[in-house]
Amino acid sequence: MLSKCIDTPVGSLVLVAEGGFLVSARFGCTGNERTVAPAVSLPDYLVLERAEEQLQLWFAGSCADFDLPLAPKGTPFQCAVWTALRRIPRGKTVSYSAIADAVGNPLAVRAVGMANNRNPLPIFIPCHRVVGKGGNLTGYAAGLEVKAWLLRHEGVFVHPDYMCDVTNPSFY
């Protein structure tokens, strides 16, 4: 397992690779992260380098989607939610209830919220694109200011009181 701390416009991210897959991206470096020389674990090193490069392109507006091997660890329900999140196009938002419908469990709105909360790969698995039914921004590991920034970066109108333009048609 290798980790690398990178700086982004919304703060530092710790990227973690294991077995040639990106397994985690968490906000806030502690200083204990280490990147090992490529000879030690070439597949993990290459994934971290590709992830950093694609994030830089994404933040520059040159990359709409990520093309990385991801391996988030979670329950089958969490993984189903995370798969549904990856289908939300850049610049679109959907409600928690739309994700619950998409995973075949329309009553699991709160469970969808908890799966979002446990998303180990924010930005790569775009949980920031999920908003409350009325368009209100709710919960984000790095704070609502970061969620609003990410959505604005993708072209979503976000009111200063953290309400989104929910006129975008749902993709589900």
Side-chain angles (χ1 to χ4, degrees), residues 15-16 18 20-25 47 50-51 54 66-73 82 86 119-126:
L15 304 177
V16 180
E18 181 177 14
F21 294 90
L22 190 64
V23 296
S24 174
V47 166
R50 282 182 57 209
Q54 288 185 23
F66 297 101
D67 179 25
L68 295 165
L70 305 179
K73 294 175 182 155
W82 301 333
R86 292 186 72 194
N119 175 8
L121 289 160
I123 302 176
F124 297 100
I125 297 176

Side-chain angles (χ1 to χ4, degrees), residues 24-150:
S24 174
R26 72 177 189 281
F27 288 98
C29 298
T30 64
N32 296 326
E33 296 77 21
R34 57 187 161 80
T35 301
V36 179
V40 174
S41 178
L42 186 57
D44 291 349
Y45 177 82
L46 293 175
V47 166
L48 291 177
E49 292 299 305
R50 282 182 57 209
E52 180 178 16
E53 178 184 333
Q54 288 185 23
L55 269 175
Q56 288 173 347
L57 291 171
W58 188 84
F59 279 112
S62 303
C63 170
D65 296 311
F66 297 101
D67 179 25
L68 295 165
L70 305 179
K73 294 175 182 155
T75 67
F77 179 80
Q78 289 170 334
C79 291
V81 168
W82 301 333
T83 296
L85 297 179
R86 292 186 72 194
R87 292 189 204 117
I88 306 170
R90 179 186 177 108
K92 301 284 184 187
T93 58
V94 298
S95 67
Y96 291 91
S97 59
I99 297 294
D101 288 343
V103 299
N105 196 342
L107 300 178
V109 176
R110 287 180 188 237
V112 166
M114 290 306 299
N116 269 12
N117 179 264
R118 291 197 168 88
N119 175 8
L121 289 160
I123 302 176
F124 297 100
I125 297 176
C127 56
H128 62 276
R129 296 176 185 159
V130 183
V131 299
K133 210 169 196 173
N136 57 315
L137 298 193
T138 59
Y140 194 68
L144 293 182
E145 297 84 11
V146 172
K147 185 172 186 170
W149 190 99
L150 294 170

